[in-house]
Amino acid sequence: MDPFLKAAIEEAEAGLAEGGIPIGSVLVHQGRIIGRGHNRRIQRGSAVLHGEMDALENAGRQPARVYRESVIYTTLSPCAMCSGAILLYGIPRVVVGENQTFMGEEDLLRSRGVGVEVLQEPRCIELMRQFIAAQPTLWNEDIGV
């Protein structure tokens, strides 16, 4: 398994262990993780802390060129908000653990020149399927249903 996707999965598992939604992300620049995060909406009472947003936040303020040279890994297809942040900062590549349980804005990202690779990683699928079955109300809240 890709070590950066493995790190994103570890973040998702940490979020689940905290009572949150199991979605994790890492921001990688020149082969090094510069930001890690997981969905913390429940834990922090946040409207915006999805996994990708948390990873970007934890990377801290970076020069524009760093984002343009980075790859973001996420266990689940990025939603409109997270895709917007990817576009805003010019991150050129997204590696997605899975998009079977939720299809985000992959077409939008691709239409704007972002490379999107979807792996359909079994652990990512399992984490989300189990969570959605156990906590459908929290999941629906997270995706704005």
Side-chain angles (χ1 to χ4, degrees), residues 96-145:
V96 177
E98 70 104 346
N99 66 4
Q100 292 180 13
T101 58
F102 176 78
M103 173 61 78
E105 299 296 329
E106 294 173 23
D107 289 342
L108 171 65
L109 291 168
R110 288 184 181 106
S111 77
R112 298 280 295 273
V114 176
V116 179
E117 180 182 1
V118 181
L119 302 178
Q120 304 303 9
E121 170 57 45
R123 180 63 179 145
C124 296
I125 296 167
E126 174 190 25
L127 278 166
M128 288 309 302
R129 286 195 175 149
Q130 289 177 351
F131 181 81
I132 292 167
Q135 300 284 350
T137 303
L138 289 178
W139 171 242
N140 287 338
E141 174 192 322
D142 196 64
I143 60 171
V145 174

Side-chain angles (χ1 to χ4, degrees), residues 27-35 55-56 59-72 86 88-93:
L27 183 65
V28 177
H29 179 251
Q30 297 181 345
R32 184 175 66 85
I33 296 172
I34 62 170
L56 287 166
R61 185 174 168 201
Q62 298 292 327
R65 72 164 178 77
V66 170
Y67 298 112
R68 291 192 303 265
E69 298 170 349
S70 292
V71 178
I72 194 161
I86 290 164
L88 178 68
Y89 291 107
I91 298 169
R93 184 164 172 250

